[in-house]
């Protein structure tokens, strides 16, 4: 199923509705910080299960207590509602 790329206005509205996310280089971006590595890794493990269930996988990076996440829909060539949904799910995990 091909997903529609959001317009600039839709992206602005989506970012405004999300906590700490920003649009950067055609992707939704957020940096999550945790008290330690174990909690950062635990977050990634739980987020990975959500992403796999959605068949929508983030570009992410972990260094010690920090997880940097970039979301975009590759086949749409940018940000779609699918990315916004995963961002909200990741925020809910983060609590």
């Amino acid at each position: 199923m091909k997903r529609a790329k959001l317009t600039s206005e839709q992206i602005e509205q989506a970012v405004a509705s999300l906590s700490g996310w920003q649009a950067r280089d055609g992707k939704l971006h957020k940096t999550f910080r945790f008290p330690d590595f174990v909690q950062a890794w635990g977050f990634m493990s739980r987020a990975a299960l959500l992403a796999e269930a959605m068949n929508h996988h983030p570009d992410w990076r972990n260094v010690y207590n920090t997880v940097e996440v970039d979301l975009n829909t590759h086949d749409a060539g940018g940000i779609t509602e699918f990315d916004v949904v995963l961002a909200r799910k990741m925020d809910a995990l983060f609590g």
Side-chain angles (χ1 to χ4, degrees), residues 30-84:
K30 184 171 180 174
T31 300
F32 295 90
R33 288 196 179 21
F34 300 87
D36 56 38
F37 175 74
V38 171
Q39 289 184 45
W41 190 265
F43 169 80
M44 290 180 75
S45 296
R46 292 186 305 276
L49 295 173
L50 290 174
E52 184 65 19
M54 292 176 68
N55 194 29
H56 190 52
H57 306 97
D59 293 326
W60 56 7
R61 178 175 179 267
N62 165 245
V63 176
Y64 183 57
N65 69 333
T66 302
V67 178
E68 293 181 10
V69 178
D70 287 306
L71 301 175
N72 76 327
T73 304
H74 299 283
D75 63 347
I79 299 168
T80 68
E81 187 60 32
F82 211 39
D83 301 301
V84 177

Side-chain angles (χ1 to χ4, degrees), residues 1-42:
M1 174 186 201
K2 181 129 170 107
R3 305 201 183 272
K5 184 175 168 180
L6 298 179
T7 65
S8 295
E9 183 178 301
Q10 290 171 319
I11 292 168
E12 286 178 26
Q13 290 172 351
V15 167
S17 75
L18 295 167
S19 177
W21 291 85
Q22 56 185 280
R24 183 166 45 170
D25 300 324
K27 300 175 183 178
L28 289 179
H29 176 82
K30 184 171 180 174
T31 300
F32 295 90
R33 288 196 179 21
F34 300 87
D36 56 38
F37 175 74
V38 171
Q39 289 184 45
W41 190 265

